Amino acid sequence: MRDSDVATEVHCPVSCHNEWDPLEEVIVGIVDNAHFPPWHVAVGAPLSAAQREVFQQRAGQPFPADQVAAARDELDQFVDILEREGVTVRRPEPRDHSASYGGPGWQSTGLYDAMPRDLLLVVGNDVIEAPMAWRSRHHSASAYRPLLKEYFRQGARWTSPPKPELSDELYHADWTDQPDGEPFRSVITEFEPTFDAADFVRCGRDIFGQRSHVTNGMGIEWLRRHLGDEYRVHEVVLNDDHPMHIDASLMPLAPGKLLIQPERVPQVPDLFKDWEVRAAPAPVIPDGHPLYMTSKWINMNVLMIDEQRMVVEAQDEPMMRLAESWGIAPIPCPFRNFNSFGGSFHCATVDVRRRGELRSYL
């Protein structure tokens, strides 16, 4: 590559400090070619007993074609809404998730490219690839690499932590559900740093993360050291038997406004003592609706376009009423079929650029 091929522009295309500044550019995932991953103890740990049974029975198979098509249609509607609201939308290219790959001592096939929030963490002008603990997601960032190269050439930072080996030493092979009242025990060990980007939410100079079945203490510490003294990375402990991703438990929506899942957040972190905290309304997703990798509390997984606009699932009237009571205009979008795949609007996106400055809100 010639020096002239890499620019360092004053106006970097990547700049994001929180979850609510005016959204200018976003990446939206795709659900094409989604597959159930090979069965592994780490896959089962965050799931309910019924979900584990489905994943074991369908390991390595494609997700139902009709559900993929329905979710794809909802993603397209979501993109149309964002573009009408003035947001630039970027998408990855479809990949073959049935292809086999591996490392020393293990083999896997893929999952999907539906949830970029899981694997890319944008802090300022730095795009950080998550070192993910699921073997089926070892190459998840590949679908987004063309975009990352483009952003890098235009001046963004691009960071990839140590690529995890994902050897057997990373996992507790004997992991089982814990009895009620027992301290949380993750399915992953401290063998090497791992985290999913969706286990963190950003409030300017303060970033909140949790240990989960995909994020360990080494992963949180790696991020803390990487970001340095300019940021404060706080580890929060939630009341969740199957933790995986913080954005369906604790979501800052705007300065002074925090949305929580009341059962998982019995005590709000002291740093939010001056914020207005509201419990998310009970989900309205029907009992019979398939949710392969999440609970009904995925209703919390909203996307803020700015402090006054929130994208909400079109049938979630209680969440729309909560938004309105908080002075936030809800923008309804059908997304229930996409919810089946394990996420909602926040999961399906990575905010590349939000118009605002780095500051403290706490």
Side-chain angles (χ1 to χ4, degrees):
M1 179 182 293
R2 299 169 303 176
D3 291 343
S4 59
D5 291 334
V6 181
T8 305
E9 298 186 354
V10 175
H11 301 291
C12 177
V14 175
S15 180
C16 193
H17 304 292
N18 54 51
E19 310 291 339
W20 57 77
D21 277 341
L23 184 61
E24 296 183 338
E25 183 165 335
V26 69
I27 300 172
V28 175
I30 58 174
V31 76
D32 306 66
N33 305 324
H35 275 65
F36 289 92
W39 179 252
H40 185 260
V41 64
V43 172
L47 307 181
S48 69
Q51 290 168 336
R52 289 173 196 164
E53 184 177 356
V54 172
F55 270 66
Q56 286 176 309
Q57 291 174 349
R58 302 186 184 181
Q61 300 177 22
F63 278 86
D66 59 335
Q67 293 179 6
V68 171
R72 184 191 301 117
D73 179 67
E74 289 177 346
L75 279 168
D76 290 343
Q77 294 181 62
F78 180 37
V79 168
D80 288 344
I81 288 171
L82 291 172
E83 291 178 338
R84 287 201 300 271
E85 296 294 328
V87 180
T88 298
V89 178
R90 310 298 302 274
R91 309 290 298 275
E93 292 294 325
R95 295 187 301 152
D96 178 10
H97 292 285
S98 67
S100 180
Y101 58 85
W106 60 271
Q107 288 283 317
S108 185
T109 51
L111 178 62
Y112 51 37
D113 299 312
M115 313 291 177
R117 182 77 57 176
D118 296 357
L119 54 114
L120 298 175
L121 178 62
V122 177
V123 181
N125 67 352
D126 192 1
V127 184
I128 303 168
E129 294 186 23
M132 308 183 83
W134 280 20
R135 289 169 172 171
S136 58
R137 309 195 79 176
H138 193 53
H139 295 291
S140 286
S142 296
Y144 300 88
R145 284 283 178 107
L147 290 172
L148 299 186
K149 293 173 187 176
E150 176 185 326
Y151 294 140
F152 178 73
R153 291 186 177 106
Q154 294 175 358
R157 296 176 63 198
W158 175 14
T159 302
S160 181
K163 197 72 171 174
E165 298 175 62
L166 305 185
S167 63
D168 290 345
E169 288 87 347
L170 178 62
Y171 310 100
H172 290 292
D174 62 346
W175 184 92
T176 58
D177 284 312
Q178 296 146 260
D180 291 342
E182 290 291 320
F184 169 66
R185 179 182 182 236
S186 177
V187 72
I188 57 174
T189 70
E190 296 293 332
F191 175 71
E192 59 190 346
T194 70
F195 63 81
D196 275 16
D199 267 330
F200 299 90
V201 289
R202 302 153 303 171
C203 296
R205 295 188 185 277
D206 293 277
I207 296 174
F208 293 85
Q210 67 165 355
R211 296 196 200 200
S212 70
H213 286 305
V214 290
T215 297
N216 60 16
M218 285 188 74
I220 295 172
E221 182 59 22
W222 182 93
L223 182 64
R224 181 179 289 118
R225 294 186 196 181
H226 171 70
L227 294 178
D229 295 338
E230 197 171 17
Y231 295 90
R232 299 175 288 266
V233 178
H234 310 276
E235 182 179 339
V236 297
V237 179
L238 304 179
N239 183 26
D240 188 353
D241 291 337
H242 301 95
M244 181 180 176
H245 303 163
I246 198 172
D247 53 2
S249 298
L250 183 148
M251 271 296 296
L253 302 181
K257 297 177 181 178
L258 180 68
L259 185 67
I260 63 169
Q261 202 276 26
E263 297 171 357
R264 296 176 187 162
V265 190
Q267 183 173 351
V268 177
D270 290 342
L271 284 168
F272 291 106
K273 60 181 171 47
D274 296 327
W275 286 39
E276 183 177 358
V277 180
R278 296 195 186 185
V284 295
I285 299 175
D287 289 340
H289 185 74
L291 292 172
Y292 293 114
M293 285 182 279
T294 187
S295 75
K296 294 181 181 181
W297 288 102
I298 200 66
N299 71 325
M300 282 187 57
N301 201 254
V302 296
L303 179 71
M304 301 301 293
I305 295 179
D306 54 32
E307 294 181 25
Q308 289 80 40
R309 292 178 292 172
M310 172 199 290
V311 184
V312 184
E313 210 289 318
Q315 299 179 70
D316 195 349
E317 294 184 5
M319 187 64 77
M320 286 189 264
R321 289 196 296 269
L322 180 143
E324 291 169 340
S325 72
W326 229 343
I328 299 171
I331 302 173
C333 175
F335 225 53
R336 190 164 285 173
N337 292 294
F338 184 85
N339 293 161
S340 295
F341 291 84
S344 197
F345 303 107
H346 196 250
C347 294
T349 56
V350 165
D351 31 357
V352 174
R353 189 173 63 258
R354 288 182 180 272
R355 189 171 64 253
E357 302 295 328
L358 178 62
R359 52 168 290 198
S360 294
Y361 297 92
L362 301 165

